[in-house]
């Protein structure tokens, strides 16, 4: 069995879809509209309907989705953009590319998402640095929506806008409200290993703000106006390929079912793993998209080693917080620093998580972890 355990299993998903992806690709090859073909519009409509956002604008990657919103909001030099330190680099990269200053905020030790008291302290502190506080980018780490109720309140007090980094959480929810409807805008990614992934790079922006949607649509096509050779803004080439849209349309039809499977598998881990590995805590009423199932283990190296010997692949997201990365070490942190991010970076470990993990395989994984802990 051990040779068969996948950390993420895209092959099983492909089998589940039968020949539908090949047929979808075949249709695009036949009509030949590889850029902004009809599948792109169809996908945007379905994505908006899926999450309940007024507008969905597809784009070339999750990184571009973040970048496009910040560009549309005119973020640039002198602006402070608050981001958690414990995240994938793209969250900080997007403001940095525009010449703005990412300010690193700590995360909560149990939920692993943005810590609101660290955020408040950071916003107060940047005035001292001669930076204008402009935006907050909470990250829905491992699929769990950040604490938007508390973050929105802070943003409203200080006149900042919230851009949700939902690269890992599309499909998640808080109560009845789905990811895609939090903050002023939401950025997601369709990188292959994300909960809803294509077969290459892809992403999308969601918003209820018509003016912002129009601006983002323009910016992803070189800042175009009424036609191709009318350039209103300095934009980028940030479109989603028609082929990827066609693939996503097929995958979206089974996405709800996949989310339910992820929830079931996560629940099984949560009730069966030994107490010595601490699972990511979910906030009340939150539904995670379970991009990753991540635990905190005091002796991570020996756990990873024992798992490997039992044929169980593991991964570490993320081994180094961003404020300690060479490229970002010059950026400010919240006054207390980011000690929780530093501690988590040395202790977190992620277990196999995908909708096609069957019960027998999951039992084997749980047994391998249990044996490693005692
Ligand atoms: C994957 C990811 C991104 C970037 O998405 P790409 O599509 O790879 O550009 C941004 N933020 C987070 C938190 C991510 O996990």
């Amino acid at each position: 069995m051990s040779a068969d355990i996948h950390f993420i299993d895209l092959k099983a998903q492909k089998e589940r879809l039968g020949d539908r992806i090949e047929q979808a690709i075949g249709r695009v090859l036949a009509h030949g509209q590889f850029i902004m073909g009809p599948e792109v519009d169809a996908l945007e409509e379905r994505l908006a309907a899926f999450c309940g956002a007024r507008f969905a604008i597809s784009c070339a990657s999750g990184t571009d989705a973040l970048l496009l919103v910040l560009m549309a909001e005119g973020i640039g030099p002198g602006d402070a953009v608050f981001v958690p330190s414990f995240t994938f680099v793209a969250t900080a990269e997007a403001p940095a590319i525009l010449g703005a200053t990412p300010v690193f905020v700590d995360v909560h030790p149990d939920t692993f998402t943005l810590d609101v008291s660290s955020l408040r302290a950071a916003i107060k502190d940047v005035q001292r640095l001669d930076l204008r506080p402009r935006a907050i980018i909470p990250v829905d780490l491992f699929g769990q929506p950040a604490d938007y109720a508390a973050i929105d309140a802070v943003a409203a007090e200080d006149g900042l806008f919230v851009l949700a980094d939902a690269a890992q959480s599309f499909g998640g929810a808080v109560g009845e409200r789905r990811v895609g409807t939090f903050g002023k805008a939401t950025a997601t990614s369709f990188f292959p290993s994300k909960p809803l992934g294509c077969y290459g790079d892809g992403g999308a922006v969601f918003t209820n703000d018509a003016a912002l949607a129009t601006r983002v649509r323009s910016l992803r096509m070189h800042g175009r106006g009424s036609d191709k050779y009318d350039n209103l803004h300095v934009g980028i080439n940030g479109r989603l390929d028609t082929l990827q849209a066609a693939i996503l349309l097929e995958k979206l039809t089974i996405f709800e079912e996949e989310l339910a499977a992820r929830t079931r598998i996560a629940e099984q881990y949560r009730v069966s793993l030994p107490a010595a590995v601490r699972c990511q805590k979910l906030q009340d009423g939150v539904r995670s998209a379970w991009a990753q199932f991540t635990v905190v283990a005091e002796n991570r190296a020996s756990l990873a080693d024992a798992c490997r010997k039992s044929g169980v692949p593991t991964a570490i997201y993320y081994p180094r917080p961003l404020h300690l990365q060479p490229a970002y070490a010059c950026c400010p942190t919240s006054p207390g620093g980011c000690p929780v991010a530093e501690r988590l970076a040395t202790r977190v470990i992620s277990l196999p998580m995908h909708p096609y993990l069957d019960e027998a395989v999951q039992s084997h994984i749980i047994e391998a972890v249990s044996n490693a802990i005692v």
Side-chain angles (χ1 to χ4, degrees):
M1 173 206 296
S2 56
D4 292 320
I5 303 179
H6 301 279
F7 190 72
I8 282 174
D9 195 347
L10 294 178
K11 242 191 204 154
Q13 182 193 51
K14 178 76 175 41
E15 263 162 43
R16 160 80 180 78
L17 283 163
D19 57 3
R20 286 169 49 195
I21 298 227
E22 275 89 346
Q23 287 175 2
I25 290 172
R27 288 194 294 273
V28 177
L29 296 184
H31 70 55
Q33 296 175 61
F34 301 112
I35 302 295
M36 298 306 279
E39 285 82 358
V40 173
D41 281 338
L43 176 69
E44 290 179 348
E45 229 168 84
R46 303 257 174 99
L47 288 172
F50 184 91
C51 69
R54 247 181 102 196
F55 305 101
I57 303 122
S58 62
C59 60
S61 68
T63 306
D64 275 2
L66 292 166
L67 187 65
L68 285 164
V69 173
L70 297 178
M71 288 173 79
E73 290 288 328
I75 293 293
D79 293 337
V81 177
F82 301 89
V83 301
S85 181
F86 193 53
T87 178
F88 181 63
V89 67
T91 315
E93 186 180 39
I97 285 172
L98 297 174
T101 303
V103 178
F104 293 111
V105 173
D106 211 1
V107 293
H108 192 279
D110 299 330
T111 62
F112 312 160
T113 61
L114 200 70
D115 182 284
V116 177
S117 57
S118 177
L119 172 66
R120 279 185 198 281
I123 294 171
K124 255 201 207 120
D125 194 52
V126 294
Q127 270 110 15
R128 183 179 61 81
L129 303 172
D130 243 2
L131 293 169
R132 275 186 308 275
R134 289 287 312 279
I136 305 166
I137 313 184
V139 175
D140 300 348
L141 203 69
F142 307 139
Q144 163 160 236
D147 188 357
Y148 288 103
I151 293 165
D152 281 347
V154 172
E157 270 169 42
D158 293 292
L160 309 186
F161 77 90
V162 174
L163 164 57
D165 182 342
Q168 303 178 2
S169 64
F170 190 66
V174 181
E176 297 297 301
R177 212 170 138 190
R178 279 223 145 133
V179 164
T181 61
F182 298 103
K184 181 165 189 186
T186 297
T188 198
S189 165
F190 304 126
F191 184 82
S193 62
K194 308 284 172 159
L196 179 63
C198 58
Y199 290 149
D201 280 308
V205 171
F206 300 92
T207 185
N208 287 339
D209 184 313
L212 179 59
T214 302
R215 186 94 169 194
V216 167
R217 270 185 211 288
S218 165
L219 289 170
R220 79 168 163 185
M221 289 182 78
H222 305 289
R224 67 175 273 170
S226 53
D227 72 65
K228 206 168 166 176
Y229 300 108
D230 174 30
N231 306 112
L232 291 179
H233 315 288
V234 176
I236 61 173
N237 177 354
R239 296 167 298 231
L240 179 72
D241 290 344
T242 308
L243 277 170
Q244 300 299 349
I247 290 160
L248 285 165
L249 276 169
E250 297 307 318
K251 291 201 185 192
L252 196 53
T253 63
I254 58 165
F255 187 49
E256 203 76 76
E257 207 177 279
E258 292 187 334
L259 286 167
R262 286 178 189 272
T263 301
R264 180 168 38 74
I265 291 158
E267 231 9 81
Q268 188 63 37
Y269 272 138
R270 283 152 63 83
V271 300
S272 311
L273 285 172
V277 298
R278 191 161 58 79
C279 299
Q280 179 183 22
K281 191 179 167 208
L282 294 193
Q283 274 196 283
D284 287 344
V286 150
R287 177 177 173 181
S288 176
W290 294 113
Q292 304 294 345
F293 193 88
T294 303
V295 300
V296 178
E298 287 308 316
N299 198 342
R300 170 173 81 185
S302 69
L303 175 56
D305 206 44
C307 283
R308 187 163 1 93
K309 286 184 183 130
S310 304
V312 174
T314 60
I316 290 169
Y317 305 109
Y318 296 89
R320 202 197 286 187
L322 296 185
H323 69 284
L324 300 180
Q325 292 287 356
Y328 295 91
C330 56
C331 299
T333 65
S334 184
C338 302
V340 177
E342 288 175 22
R343 195 149 12 95
L344 287 174
T346 61
R347 288 171 175 79
V348 285
I349 180 165
S350 303
L351 301 176
M353 168 51 87
H354 60 79
Y356 304 93
L357 196 63
D358 68 41
E359 258 182 68
V361 174
Q362 194 180 11
S363 298
H364 174 80
I365 296 166
I366 291 164
E367 203 181 293
V369 173
S370 303
N371 292 340
I373 292 297
V374 291

